[in-house]
Amino acid sequence: MQTEQTIALVQNALEDMKAKEIVLLDVRGRSTVTDYMIIASGTSRRHAASVAEEVVIQVKQAGLMPLGTEGQEAGDWILVDLGDVVVHVMMPDARSFYDLERLWGVETAVTE
């Protein structure tokens, strides 16, 4: 699966699950870990966990196996590693505190 297809698949899953403030960060040349980060907010811990789980389900159905997931138990910040794309589903407080958009210092593209 091409990176652009993965991004579109993830964005659609996030939108279908009513994730908030969906942002795509292009971190090529700034990170050796991934090329893109997609950040979204959940409205509750249960919602954030459900959103992340739906991303995992959708990418698996498309034939892509996530490299890993972290944070499902706590639900404040759930990470889904898809290789070239890393998805962060965060509660608003955690998102504000860690401010990944500013941390990576990249132009953001809001996709919501």
Side-chain angles (χ1 to χ4, degrees):
M1 178 177 290
Q2 297 293 327
T3 301
E4 295 79 20
Q5 293 171 314
T6 303
I7 291 169
L9 181 67
V10 168
Q11 288 175 330
N12 287 336
L14 293 170
E15 290 168 2
D16 288 348
M17 292 297 293
K18 309 293 188 220
K20 305 293 181 192
E21 301 177 40
I22 302 167
V23 174
L24 172 65
L25 301 179
D26 181 346
V27 295
R28 291 176 292 181
R30 296 172 191 242
S31 171
T32 58
V33 176
T34 191
D35 291 336
Y36 295 93
M37 292 184 188
I38 299 176
I39 305 169
S41 295
T43 58
S44 68
R45 287 186 173 129
R46 177 175 278 171
H47 179 238
S50 296
V51 168
E53 182 61 26
E54 184 65 18
V55 168
V56 170
I57 290 168
Q58 292 292 325
V59 297
K60 283 182 176 179
Q61 287 178 348
L64 179 63
M65 288 302 296
L67 300 176
T69 59
E70 294 290 330
Q72 302 92 323
E73 298 81 26
D76 285 342
W77 180 353
I78 304 164
L79 182 140
V80 180
D81 186 350
L82 303 173
D84 291 342
V85 179
V86 173
V87 182
H88 302 270
V89 182
M90 306 173 83
M91 289 299 298
D93 289 345
R95 186 168 179 174
S96 176
F97 181 79
Y98 290 103
D99 196 7
L100 296 179
E101 293 93 334
R102 185 191 55 76
L103 177 68
W104 284 99
V106 296
E107 293 295 320
T108 59
V110 177
T111 60
E112 181 176 4

